[in-house]
Amino acid sequence: MWYVIQTLSGEEEKTADVIRKMVPSNFVQECFVPKRERMKKFHGNWNKVEEVLFRGYAFVVSERPGDLYEELRRVPRLTKVLGREMDFFFSLSEKEESLVREIGDKKHKTSLSRVTVGEGKKIQVIDGPLKGYAGNIVKMNLHKREVTVKVEFMDREMELKMGIAMVDAGLMMG
């Protein structure tokens, strides 16, 4: 099962590293921080960069939640283990776990989605992780080459920024 650990924004990778080092491997199958690709302009050139997808969170996969919880209490960097009860924590729902799996690859990285931009700045998703979420787009910033998607996550609405690569619609016809 997948569990979410809240940490300081910007400390996600450090927290995951500490968990990987301090928690015995028989309690943790995997500890990761989902990332997203996006395009960023440096000195006039577009470059692909990686950024944290869920700011302030690290994810742990474990089949031993009780033991994991006890071990995590010893991790100094931890803000808190997220759950629906005060003294224990619960896994993500199947729907939430599925969302993270759908938009990411095996390394939990959300790649760029290829899109065309039509009249009225209407986005059509050609391929990529945004494919199933085009209807959830609530904001777009074509200048930054990213869109914001609203999703249900951890019992609340959350906005995720996802990177896009714009493709000329004329090139798609040939």
Side-chain angles (χ1 to χ4, degrees):
M1 298 209 182
W2 289 22
Y3 300 90
V4 179
I5 291 138
Q6 186 174 17
T7 187
L8 296 171
S9 188
E11 297 282 312
E12 301 88 357
E13 207 55 70
K14 288 178 185 169
T15 300
D17 285 341
V18 170
I19 291 169
R20 286 189 282 262
K21 287 177 183 140
M22 290 187 69
V23 178
S25 59
N26 54 329
F27 300 147
V28 175
Q29 291 166 284
E30 186 180 11
C31 182
F32 62 93
V33 177
K35 302 276 177 66
R36 70 180 178 116
E37 287 182 344
R38 70 171 276 226
M39 298 303 289
K40 208 167 187 175
K41 211 170 202 176
F42 300 112
H43 309 294
N45 296 316
W46 286 101
N47 298 281
K48 200 180 283 188
V49 297
E50 274 186 25
E51 296 176 347
V52 173
L53 181 61
F54 295 91
R55 294 193 53 78
Y57 301 107
F59 291 64
V60 177
V61 180
S62 176
E63 294 304 321
R64 298 177 60 183
D67 294 326
L68 173 64
Y69 181 78
E70 288 305 316
E71 292 294 326
L72 288 174
R73 289 174 47 162
R74 299 188 235 289
V75 176
R77 229 179 188 90
L78 214 52
T79 304
K80 59 184 164 181
V81 178
L82 293 184
R84 294 169 179 88
E85 290 181 20
M86 297 295 284
D87 58 353
F88 207 68
F89 67 109
F90 290 88
S91 64
L92 289 179
S93 69
E94 281 185 31
K95 185 178 177 185
E96 293 163 338
E97 187 179 321
S98 178
L99 164 74
V100 179
R101 284 186 198 272
E102 283 174 13
I103 64 174
D105 61 17
K106 287 185 186 342
K107 293 181 178 173
H108 309 290
K109 183 168 68 175
T110 301
S111 59
L112 297 173
S113 291
R114 292 184 333 131
V115 303
T116 58
V117 181
E119 286 182 37
K121 292 190 177 177
K122 178 142 175 59
I123 287 186
Q124 180 181 354
V125 181
I126 299 162
D127 61 24
L130 195 54
K131 192 83 171 151
Y133 296 91
N136 297 43
I137 296 172
V138 292
K139 292 182 208 155
M140 65 178 120
N141 186 332
L142 300 179
H143 179 72
K144 285 188 167 185
R145 305 281 197 270
E146 69 183 13
V147 296
T148 303
V149 179
K150 190 171 283 193
V151 296
E152 277 287 321
F153 196 75
M154 296 188 306
D155 291 338
R156 63 185 181 96
E157 283 191 342
M158 179 181 274
E159 291 186 353
L160 296 179
K161 291 184 179 182
M162 297 172 73
I164 57 172
M166 294 190 286
V167 177
D168 185 345
L171 298 175
M172 296 302 296
M173 303 299 171

